[in-house]
Amino acid sequence: MSRDSQRLRPEALPELPASPGVSYIMPVLNEAAHVASAITGILAQEYAGAQEIVLALGPSTDGTTEIVRQLALEDPRIVAVDNPAGDTPVGLNLAIAETSYPIIARVDAHSELSPDYTARAVEALRESGAANLGGLMQARGRSAFQRAVARAYMSPVGLGGPAYHSGDEAQEAESAYLGVFRREVFSVLDGFDESLRRGQDWELNLRIREAGGSIRFDPALTVTYWPRDSWSKLAQQFYATGVWRAEIVRRHAAKNSLRYFAPPVLVLGMGAAVVETVLQLTGTTRRWPRWLRRFTAAVHIPSTAYVAGIVATAWRAKDAGLRERVWFAAVLPTMHLTWGAGFLRGLVTGAASNRDRSR
């Protein structure tokens, strides 16, 4: 094993000072409605060390750039860099290049950090020796639709999988939500992969683990996340995410969890059920041998079970009104099917042609 392959292991990282400075990095694109409050909230963290926030400005058309540049004139802790490409990983790397401190925390305009997030994260980095760590994504919503999306994010039936959606115990993790990094990550590795418009965080965490680094999940770190507020935006987001996850599978097939293959299998199964229904309604299957009709009709069993499961999950949703339950029943298959369809498309054609930059 080469020396470089273990440079991020806990015992190889230098000891952190008492209150190390923290650099927050945020790529922004068309965030005029959120960016000012996001910056204010981040710089109001209850933390004794020095802080700065570096924003990578994409080609916004809604006044985001002007808002950020004005705030930067008023507060020297705010630094703005241009990101003409507008892609998230490019912006993250540009922001990292302008940071000054030994801790680098990724933040987002749609997220709200708990007041003690930074202090807890720095202490957890110190105690665990982790190269990167993250906390619990607490999805929240204002409208019935957004609350239903938030519920799906937090539900094992919705996104499931990563601890940062519903975990309650500190543990080693495959990846981290947002991420609070030791600077050594970016001196040892080459930053975020700029060819991945989505999923670049998972890919970086993979390289961190391959370099001997530890990724930690700590539920004491909480981040409020406000998800998409319309069905079309949600469908677009999950389709694009599925496309890019397939691209990662194409590059790192054996290193991906099997859970990523469940949505595309669901899409194929539901598609087969639709085809079978059409053939039955048109009378085509009547000309088939009985054994073949029985065999193909079995395709309805898993699809019917899936629909029944979605309805039952929505009906049992706690503290939800009727509108939210109806939306919840619509949101869950929207997430599953658009993600799965995107995955199948990306698996076949790759993700290079997908230009969705929404966050």
Side-chain angles (χ1 to χ4, degrees):
M1 185 176 292
S2 70
R3 183 173 66 87
D4 286 349
S5 69
Q6 293 294 292
R7 289 176 63 190
L8 294 178
R9 68 188 189 280
E11 58 270 25
L13 295 174
E15 184 177 350
L16 286 172
S19 296
V22 176
S23 300
Y24 305 93
I25 56 172
M26 180 195 296
V28 291
L29 179 68
N30 291 325
E31 298 286 3
H34 306 282
V35 69
S37 61
I39 292 172
T40 301
I42 291 163
L43 293 179
Q45 284 284 291
E46 298 171 355
Y47 181 64
Q51 299 175 80
E52 67 178 355
I53 180 167
V54 183
L55 297 101
L57 304 178
S60 297
T61 57
D62 66 348
T64 297
T65 298
E66 291 75 15
I67 293 171
V68 172
R69 293 202 182 281
Q70 180 59 42
L71 291 171
L73 289 175
E74 299 170 359
D75 190 331
R77 296 176 299 171
I78 302 170
V79 179
V81 297
D82 289 324
N83 175 23
D87 291 334
T88 297
V90 175
L92 289 169
N93 287 338
L94 288 169
I96 290 165
E98 297 297 322
T99 59
S100 308
Y101 298 129
I103 304 297
I104 298 176
R106 180 176 175 178
V107 290
D108 188 270
H110 283 269
S111 300
E112 299 173 7
L113 308 182
S114 56
D116 60 351
Y117 179 88
T118 302
R120 284 181 175 272
V122 170
E123 188 58 29
L125 283 174
R126 190 193 321 279
E127 292 178 355
S128 67
N132 180 29
L133 60 82
L136 185 65
M137 173 202 282
Q138 293 186 328
R140 296 289 184 266
R142 297 181 177 91
S143 66
F145 175 83
Q146 197 177 40
R147 289 195 299 273
V149 176
R151 186 179 293 273
Y153 265 83
M154 303 294 287
S155 168
V157 180
L159 293 187
Y164 58 75
H165 289 305
S166 56
D168 57 6
E169 294 183 1
Q171 58 191 275
E172 289 287 322
E174 179 183 274
S175 189
Y177 176 54
L178 296 178
V180 182
F181 300 85
R182 294 287 301 259
R183 174 170 287 280
E184 289 80 7
V185 166
F186 302 105
S187 59
V188 171
L189 305 177
D190 294 326
F192 291 91
D193 186 338
E194 296 183 1
S195 69
L196 292 172
R197 296 192 190 98
R198 289 176 183 266
Q200 65 279 147
D201 48 353
W202 183 91
E203 190 276 340
L204 176 60
N205 282 304
L206 170 64
R207 286 188 282 127
I208 291 173
R209 288 185 277 116
E210 291 177 339
S214 170
I215 313 296
R216 295 286 298 177
F217 164 73
D218 188 340
L221 306 177
T222 58
V223 182
T224 299
Y225 173 74
W226 299 95
R228 301 301 190 272
D229 57 6
S230 74
W231 185 88
S232 60
K233 291 178 181 178
L234 180 72
Q236 178 186 13
Q237 175 195 13
F238 272 77
Y239 180 81
T241 302
V243 169
W244 283 100
R245 172 50 64 177
E247 179 66 25
I248 292 174
V249 168
R250 285 163 64 104
R251 301 185 191 187
H252 308 283
K255 299 172 184 177
N256 286 266
S257 169
L258 289 176
R259 72 174 182 271
Y260 295 123
F261 294 88
V265 169
L266 173 65
V267 170
L268 293 174
M270 297 295 283
V274 170
V275 171
E276 171 69 11
T277 299
V278 171
L279 293 175
Q280 289 175 337
L281 292 176
T282 58
T284 302
T285 58
R286 295 174 186 171
R287 300 189 294 270
W288 296 353
R290 179 176 296 180
W291 69 267
L292 182 58
R293 292 200 304 270
R294 289 178 176 175
F295 177 78
T296 58
V299 75
H300 292 300
I301 297 174
S303 58
T304 301
Y306 172 76
V307 172
I310 292 296
V311 172
T313 300
W315 181 256
R316 292 196 302 266
K318 297 179 180 178
D319 304 320
L322 179 59
R323 288 186 63 196
E324 185 178 333
R325 292 180 191 221
V326 171
W327 274 124
F328 188 39
V331 162
L332 287 171
T334 296
M335 288 180 168
H336 298 158
L337 295 174
T338 56
W339 198 101
F343 184 95
L344 290 172
R345 177 268 174 97
L347 200 62
V348 173
T349 67
S353 63
N354 186 278
R355 300 298 299 174
D356 177 47
R357 293 192 180 100
S358 61
R359 307 203 198 289

